[in-house]
């Protein structure tokens, strides 16, 4: 997209893993604005462990890195997070998947391994957390984009499962029609039974 003062292009890299113990999705938006590249990454890990507590972290990188290094550094950050966490195995799995993705980008996706500034969000999420994230995304972009698109934009394609995410998104969109966005995610998600 471009106009007289601004031009940008964007790409989305989506990486998903479904295993017996966990699901991981990594969604990166690569945005190039007037020659400067930005990476916005969302990592969602959905452990299949009833003891896991939902958590979220936001990571900002102050120096430029290439995309492969971005994933390596994010893995290192998650490795540090896991040291003080009861469910450290969850973050270790996410770190391992990011390490693998880093190697794939470096070896096979050189044209996307550009240098840029980055931010990342990591989540270990349950249905209540997914509902709140979907509420925020739906209020920002609208429900007209479709349930699957809302799940992709929210980075929730594997954390709570694609079909489960679409069901939550449909309920959220119905509730937004009933209660509106001003009522807040906590209220809406409680009303529809996800929190």
């Amino acid at each position: 997209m471009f106009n007289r003062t601004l031009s940008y292009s964007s790409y989305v890299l989506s990486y998903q893993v479904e295993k017996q113990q966990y699901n991981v999705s990594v969604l990166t938006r690569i945005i190039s604005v007037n020659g400067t590249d930005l990476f916005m990454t969302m990592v969602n890990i959905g452990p299949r462990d009833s003891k896991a507590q939902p958590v979220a972290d936001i990571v900002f990188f102050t120096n430029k890195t290439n995309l492969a290094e971005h994933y390596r550094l994010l893995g290192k950050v998650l490795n540090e997070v896991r040291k003080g966490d009861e469910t450290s195995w969850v973050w270790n799995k996410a770190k391992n998947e990011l390490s693998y993705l880093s190697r794939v980008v470096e070896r096979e996706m050189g044209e996307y391994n550009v240098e840029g500034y980055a931010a990342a969000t990591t989540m270990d999420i349950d249905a209540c957390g997914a509902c709140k994230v979907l509420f925020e995304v739906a209020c920002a972009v609208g429900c007209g984009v479709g349930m699957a698109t809302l799940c992709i934009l929210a980075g929730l394609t594997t954390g709570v499962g694609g079909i489960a995410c679409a069901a939550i998104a449909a309920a959220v969109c119905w509730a937004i029609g009933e209660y509106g966005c001003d009522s807040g995610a906590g209220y809406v998600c409680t009303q529809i039974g996800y929190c």
Side-chain angles (χ1 to χ4, degrees):
M1 296 183 63
F2 64 92
N3 63 26
R4 289 181 178 216
T5 59
L6 175 71
S7 77
Y8 77 91
S9 60
S10 69
Y11 303 91
V12 174
L13 184 145
S14 178
Y15 172 76
Q16 300 178 15
V17 176
E18 293 189 26
K19 302 240 177 158
Q20 186 173 358
Q21 292 180 318
Y22 63 93
N23 296 329
V24 171
S25 66
V26 179
L27 186 72
T28 301
R29 290 170 190 82
I30 305 167
I31 304 166
S32 182
V33 180
N34 292 336
T36 300
D37 291 309
L38 308 167
F39 313 132
M40 303 293 282
T41 299
M42 179 176 281
V43 179
N44 183 18
I45 183 158
R48 296 182 178 159
D49 179 355
S50 60
K51 297 177 199 164
Q53 296 295 314
V55 296
D57 292 292
I58 298 174
V59 180
F60 293 98
F61 296 92
T62 56
N63 297 323
K64 280 185 166 184
T65 64
N66 63 37
L67 187 58
E69 186 65 13
H70 167 68
Y71 291 133
R72 261 194 293 283
L73 289 171
L74 187 54
K76 287 182 181 181
V77 169
L78 292 181
N79 193 47
E80 289 301 313
V81 168
R82 80 184 187 101
K83 290 179 180 177
D85 192 342
E86 293 175 9
T87 56
S88 64
W89 71 270
V90 170
W91 300 115
N92 186 50
K93 298 299 183 189
K95 175 192 71 96
N96 292 341
E97 297 297 343
L98 285 164
S99 191
Y100 172 76
L101 180 57
S102 173
R103 291 189 303 275
V104 169
V105 167
E106 204 164 53
R107 292 180 192 152
E108 300 173 24
M109 303 176 71
E111 68 272 21
Y112 301 105
N113 195 19
V114 296
E115 187 176 77
Y117 294 100
T121 305
T122 61
M123 291 187 289
D124 159 12
I125 200 159
D126 60 359
C128 178
C131 180
K132 290 177 180 179
V133 170
L134 285 165
F135 176 88
E136 298 300 335
V137 171
C139 285
V141 300
C143 289
V145 298
M147 301 309 111
T149 302
L150 285 176
C151 290
I152 290 169
L153 290 172
L156 298 174
T157 53
T158 63
V160 292
I163 294 171
C165 181
I168 296 170
V172 165
C173 285
W174 173 84
I176 287 172
E178 290 291 310
Y179 306 109
C181 288
D182 291 338
S183 56
Y187 176 80
V188 166
C189 292
T190 299
Q191 293 304 307
I192 58 178
Y194 286 106
C195 291

